[in-house]
């Protein structure tokens, strides 16, 4: 069998070692219901982790989930940077247009300000939508 996830493998091995240590401790100090239940839970989770460490399907799902998360973070960061650049451009164009009294610069500053406002409103609307939905 091939191991697809070393993290899951070592997690499973660690849980099984903890179960074995607890079993040895119970043999020395005596059995209690909580300890027996804990050993059963540790062995069950440990074997499950070992099984999923050797599962190709689980490895594929983990990669897909990681890829989706990375894409989501990258888009979020790109959107934030775009908003910040738009804000700086708006301020710079409005100030330059006011100082030079040049109307096209003021118009470009107002246009970038409207784009910034629109993107902020869309972000707020999307946040409200996803807060209610999920």
């Amino acid at each position: 069998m091939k191991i697809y996830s070393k993290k899951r493998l070592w997690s499973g091995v660690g849980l099984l070692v903890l179960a074995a240590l607890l079993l040895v401790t119970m043999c020395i100090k005596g059995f209690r219901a909580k300890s027996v239940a804990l050993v059963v839970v540790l062995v069950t989770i440990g074997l499950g982790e070992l099984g999923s460490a050797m599962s190709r399907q689980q490895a594929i799902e983990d990669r897909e989930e990681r890829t989706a998360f990375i894409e989501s973070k990258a888009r979020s960061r790109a959107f934030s940077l775009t908003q910040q650049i738009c804000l700086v451009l708006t301020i710079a164009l409005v100030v330059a247009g006011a100082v030079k009294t040049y109307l096209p610069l003021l118009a470009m500053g107002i246009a970038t300000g409207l784009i910034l406002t629109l993107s902020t409103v869309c972000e707020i609307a999307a946040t409200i939508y996803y807060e209610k939905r999920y």
Side-chain angles (χ1 to χ4, degrees), residues 1 4 8 21 29 31 42 52 57 81 84 87-89 91 93 114 120 124 126 131 134:
M1 279 198 205
Y4 290 98
R8 287 186 184 268
L21 289 175
K29 292 193 173 188
F31 290 87
L42 287 173
S52 67
Q57 182 64 29
L81 286 172
Q84 292 168 359
L87 177 66
V88 169
L89 275 174
I91 293 171
L93 288 169
L114 289 174
T120 304
I124 292 169
E131 284 290 328
Y134 298 104

Side-chain angles (χ1 to χ4, degrees), residues 49-85:
E49 286 289 306
L50 285 177
S52 67
M54 296 177 191
S55 168
R56 180 169 169 75
Q57 182 64 29
Q58 184 67 39
I60 291 170
E61 288 173 6
D62 287 346
R63 275 196 305 260
E64 287 174 359
E65 188 174 313
R66 181 178 181 273
T67 303
F69 176 72
I70 290 172
E71 284 179 14
S72 173
K73 292 295 277 185
R75 287 177 188 238
S76 173
R77 186 64 185 146
F79 183 69
S80 296
L81 286 172
T82 303
Q83 281 185 323
Q84 292 168 359
I85 291 169

Side-chain angles (χ1 to χ4, degrees), residues 5 19 32 57 85 94 132:
S5 173
R32 292 188 310 182
Q57 182 64 29
I85 291 169
V94 167
K132 287 184 179 179

Side-chain angles (χ1 to χ4, degrees), residues 3-25:
I3 297 169
Y4 290 98
S5 173
K6 289 184 182 180
K7 287 181 183 179
R8 287 186 184 268
L9 173 74
W10 288 112
S11 172
V13 169
L15 288 171
L16 291 175
V17 167
L18 284 175
L21 289 175
L22 183 57
L23 193 59
V24 169
T25 304

